[in-house]
Amino acid sequence: MNKVVVGLSGGVDSSVAAATLYHKGYEVVGLTLWLMKGKGQCCSEGMVDAAFICEQLGIPHHIVDSRDVFQENIVDYLVSGYQSGITPLPCSQCNKAVKFGPMLSYAHQTLGIDKIATGHYARITYDAECDRYQLRRAIDLTKDQSYFLYDLTQDLLAASLFPLGELKKTETRRLAAEYNLKTADKPESQDLCLIESHGSMQKFLDKYISQTTGDIVDLDGNVVGQHQGIHHYTIGQRKGLGIAAPNPLYVIALDAVRNRVIVGERHQATQAECTVHRVNWVSIQEPNVPIRASVQVRYRSPAVPVNVIPLEGNRIRLVFDEPQFSITPGQAAVLYDGELVLGGGIIEQLPEKIANGKLLEG
């Protein structure tokens, strides 16, 4: 009998993933990672619901205390990023460093099981010609989570199952009801676990970063307002600036060294290109010549055409066919060829034309 360890957060998706594999004849073991204290699907109430699902299915349930790993890889990572003027993306970091890697290690070393599964909406295929596992978008594009999984390695993809990748969300709910799962009608998590736990990202950050008043300036260096900490702002932000101006103003840069928020009109918040570091090539070998692809620079943004130019040091340069609004350092840029995830990485700080401009020099 096939054995698999299923990551259970206590939500409907992971519950259906476990139940689906169980009803397909797998020997399923539930595993919940204790990431932090407080409410949220992967925390206190999530562990209770996950335990109940395991009881319903008659399968073992293991809980692993991963709070130190989460603190180091997510909390400290976020705090450091926001302090330096970037907007980090915690989910992709969490998937590789906190969830998939530790889950597979626990499954293999403690339970002697070589397969793990999650409730992510994505698909994994294998290309025999290039001997490579490939990551693809989910069938349900409205729920597709491949954007957050670009950093998974070949070893992790080879060991992973995504039972929901071929399902629509409506089918997931139908199966939850059919299996009579406790979580069948559980509302979806709408925010990051940290936001659910603390109430808002601002409250979370204020717990770790002291509020330091500073200037909001335009591109000529004119002071147009005051801020209560650059960690409260992100590139492209329009609301909440507290500035009266004849035209709408947007955040176009965060100057951590001088503790300034830089604003401008919408066209000044667009970029024709950006650089990306910490690149992981998922479904293809690293190219040594420029390639064409589509790139998604935020989870909810559409994929747009781009020229991808390899650079040294595990970096690439992206040249967009059309300038893009709100390219945000710290967020992921994920490359696609249709439904196939080619790879991805983290958007670096703003281009030299802004970083070395008159406003930031000296």
Side-chain angles (χ1 to χ4, degrees):
M1 183 180 292
N2 292 323
K3 296 182 179 180
V4 61
V5 172
V6 179
L8 289 172
S9 67
V12 63
D13 292 333
S14 61
S15 300
V16 172
T20 297
L21 292 171
Y22 175 81
H23 287 285
K24 285 184 176 180
Y26 281 84
E27 184 177 330
V28 178
V29 176
L31 174 62
T32 300
L33 304 178
W34 183 12
L35 303 181
M36 61 181 178
K37 294 181 180 179
K39 63 180 180 180
Q41 285 198 2
C42 56
C43 303
S44 302
E45 67 183 50
M47 285 191 284
V48 172
D49 288 341
F52 197 99
I53 292 298
C54 289
E55 184 177 344
Q56 277 191 288
L57 297 175
I59 62 174
H61 184 219
H62 295 249
I63 296 175
V64 175
D65 188 345
S66 301
R67 288 175 295 171
D68 288 344
V69 176
F70 187 80
Q71 177 72 35
E72 178 182 352
N73 287 276
I74 303 304
V75 175
D76 294 348
Y77 169 72
L78 280 175
V79 171
S80 174
Y82 276 99
Q83 285 177 323
S84 65
I86 70 171
T87 305
L89 179 71
C91 294
S92 58
Q93 173 90 357
C94 189
N95 280 329
K96 180 181 178 181
V98 178
K99 294 180 179 177
F100 283 79
M103 276 179 58
L104 182 58
S105 177
Y106 183 87
H108 181 69
Q109 296 179 12
T110 304
L111 304 176
I113 299 174
D114 296 324
K115 283 287 184 181
I116 60 174
T118 70
H120 284 93
Y121 286 87
R123 293 177 293 156
I124 300 171
T125 57
Y126 177 71
D127 187 333
E129 185 174 338
C130 64
D131 188 26
R132 198 171 184 91
Y133 288 89
Q134 298 181 320
L135 180 64
R136 297 180 180 274
R137 289 191 186 274
I139 292 296
D140 189 342
L141 295 180
T142 66
K143 299 300 297 181
D144 175 55
Q145 294 172 301
S146 61
Y147 175 82
F148 297 116
L149 300 170
Y150 77 87
D151 211 20
L152 296 184
T153 62
Q154 285 290 297
D155 287 346
L156 291 174
L157 287 176
S160 298
L161 300 173
F162 296 145
L164 308 188
E166 301 285 344
L167 301 179
K168 296 281 190 178
K169 180 68 179 195
T170 52
E171 295 176 282
T172 299
R173 288 287 185 186
R174 179 185 59 78
L175 285 173
E178 182 180 311
Y179 296 144
N180 197 32
L181 299 178
K182 179 182 185 293
T183 55
D185 297 320
K186 187 172 182 178
E188 292 228 35
S189 175
Q190 298 298 318
D191 292 306
L192 297 172
C193 57
L194 289 168
I195 294 177
E196 285 192 339
S197 178
H198 291 84
S200 70
M201 180 59 77
Q202 180 173 328
K203 289 181 179 179
F204 160 71
L205 291 173
D206 285 344
K207 179 180 177 181
Y208 292 92
I209 303 175
S210 59
Q211 297 188 39
T212 305
T213 301
D215 293 332
I216 301 177
V217 301
D218 62 20
L219 275 174
D220 292 321
N222 300 311
V223 177
V224 296
Q226 295 289 305
H227 68 77
Q228 300 299 316
I230 64 170
H231 58 281
H232 293 157
Y233 301 83
T234 187
I235 305 301
Q237 180 177 334
R238 176 184 172 186
K239 296 181 179 179
L241 300 182
I243 300 173
N247 297 314
L249 295 178
Y250 301 81
V251 175
I252 62 174
L254 298 173
D255 182 2
V257 175
R258 294 164 181 78
N259 189 33
R260 296 188 293 186
V261 175
I262 303 163
V263 297
E265 296 185 14
R266 184 180 174 88
H267 73 275
Q268 295 171 318
T270 63
Q271 290 179 229
E273 61 180 70
C274 69
T275 55
V276 178
H277 68 143
R278 290 175 48 191
V279 176
N280 179 56
W281 294 98
V282 186
S283 302
I284 63 172
Q285 294 285 348
E286 179 179 358
N288 53 22
V289 297
I291 64 171
R292 287 285 290 174
S294 295
V295 65
Q296 196 170 325
V297 294
R298 284 182 182 269
Y299 175 47
R300 291 301 184 188
S301 69
V304 297
V306 68
N307 287 315
V308 183
I309 302 170
L311 303 174
E312 294 183 355
N314 201 31
R315 297 167 65 244
I316 55 176
R317 186 165 93 241
L318 302 180
V319 181
F320 306 105
D321 285 13
E322 299 288 341
Q324 296 297 304
F325 174 72
S326 183
I327 301 298
T328 306
Q331 294 290 293
V334 181
L335 301 170
Y336 290 87
D337 179 5
E339 66 175 21
L340 186 68
V341 181
L342 303 180
I346 302 299
I347 299 170
E348 291 185 319
Q349 292 284 22
L350 292 173
E352 292 180 0
K353 66 178 181 179
I354 292 178
N356 295 330
K358 62 179 179 180
L359 182 63
L360 301 183
E361 68 184 6

